[in-house]
Amino acid sequence: MLRTNPGPALGRPVIPRPERSPAALRAACAVVAPRSSRPYGRAKDQALDEAVERGSLAPVHAWLAHWAALIEIERHPEAAKRYRHAVYPARIATAPEEAREHLTTASALYREAASGAA
């Protein structure tokens, strides 16, 4: 089932919200963030390995939640642009205050996306 109601801060989506399943998220990733397809697969493999090691599905649920939020951001071009323009400067910031400022913006977008994708 596809859901389409975007959050107010994210803007208009380019594709409907995918189901929160590995196949649906992979298909959406291929459309809205094709460069992330390999990291998506690596993260999935890591979550599955960790699930087997722990004997718990918690890592798989965490992986699904994280990638659902990232796809939610990417399916809204303006939100994706704002997110990238916050994450990159945070990564290269030389002062904690500077990084904090950018991370505050990125985390607000991520939280909005995560609540929409839940």
Side-chain angles (χ1 to χ4, degrees):
M1 175 162 81
L2 298 175
R3 298 169 283 166
T4 57
N5 55 340
L10 298 180
R12 193 152 188 81
V14 294
I15 64 168
R17 182 179 296 139
E19 289 183 20
R20 198 166 165 171
S21 71
L25 291 174
R26 180 180 41 247
C29 184
V31 173
V32 297
R35 295 171 127 191
S36 296
S37 291
R38 281 195 176 147
Y40 174 90
R42 284 192 303 267
K44 181 183 80 170
D45 292 346
Q46 183 180 8
L48 291 172
D49 289 346
E50 194 173 325
V52 169
E53 187 177 296
R54 286 187 187 183
S56 167
L57 288 177
V60 175
H61 290 291
W63 166 77
L64 280 171
H66 176 67
W67 278 91
L70 292 179
I71 296 302
E72 185 69 10
I73 290 169
E74 290 296 333
R75 66 188 204 95
H76 298 85
E78 284 303 311
K81 181 179 176 182
R82 291 192 336 259
Y83 185 75
R84 284 189 293 276
H85 283 257
V87 169
Y88 179 73
R91 287 183 178 164
I92 64 169
T94 56
E97 311 80 47
E98 182 185 0
R100 190 175 301 114
E101 180 182 327
H102 295 295
L103 288 172
T104 298
T105 300
S107 64
L109 286 164
Y110 185 90
R111 281 192 306 274
E112 173 75 19
S115 69

